[in-house]
Amino acid sequence: RAMIHLYGIPNCDTVKKARVWLDNRGRAFTFHDYKKEGADPAKVAAWIAAAGLDAIVNRKGTTFRALSDADKALAADSHTAVALLVQHPSIIKRPVAEHAGGILVGFKEDEWSATLL
């Protein structure tokens, strides 16, 4: 089976749940820590193209709510959102899991089971 690449922040509860879920099912994955490794603009743009801007931008988090209105406006356009998400990776919904068939955004156990098992 193809490797899964998981993107997120290690102390995020949703990321922790996803990592435990993968471990418990014996699925190998690599973990990309935005805090240490940053976010790749080409990947972020590809995720937006694949899943849509609304699926990728986390508008509920404290980081997004603390942005200026001008920055929030940048997040509403897929062309300007990439630079904003790269600058503030905490605004990227977590986790993003790249797998052979595409990407999963966020952690929903039933969706992950249907896609990855």
Side-chain angles (χ1 to χ4, degrees), residues 21-98:
W21 187 90
L22 289 166
D23 284 338
N24 288 345
R25 283 149 189 84
R27 290 304 314 263
F29 66 93
T30 59
F31 182 69
H32 180 100
D33 180 350
Y34 293 134
K35 296 285 187 201
K36 290 182 182 160
E37 302 172 78
D40 179 279
K43 278 203 180 296
V44 172
W47 295 341
I48 291 170
L53 192 57
D54 288 339
I56 300 298
V57 177
N58 174 12
R59 289 181 170 81
K60 293 180 180 141
T62 52
T63 304
F64 185 84
R65 291 197 305 261
L67 292 176
S68 67
D69 288 343
D71 279 350
K72 287 178 182 169
L74 295 176
D77 179 280
S78 56
H79 296 96
T80 54
V82 173
L84 182 71
L85 295 172
V86 168
Q87 186 182 352
H88 302 282
S90 297
I91 301 171
I92 303 170
K93 229 175 240 169
R94 299 184 294 266
V96 174
E98 290 182 335

Side-chain angles (χ1 to χ4, degrees), residues 12-27:
C12 168
D13 288 339
T14 311
V15 170
K16 287 178 189 171
K17 284 180 199 161
R19 291 173 79 165
V20 167
W21 187 90
L22 289 166
D23 284 338
N24 288 345
R25 283 149 189 84
R27 290 304 314 263

Side-chain angles (χ1 to χ4, degrees), residues 96-115:
V96 174
E98 290 182 335
H99 58 93
I103 65 169
L104 292 166
V105 182
F107 177 67
K108 295 179 195 86
E109 193 168 339
D110 54 349
E111 184 185 19
W112 282 48
S113 294
T115 306

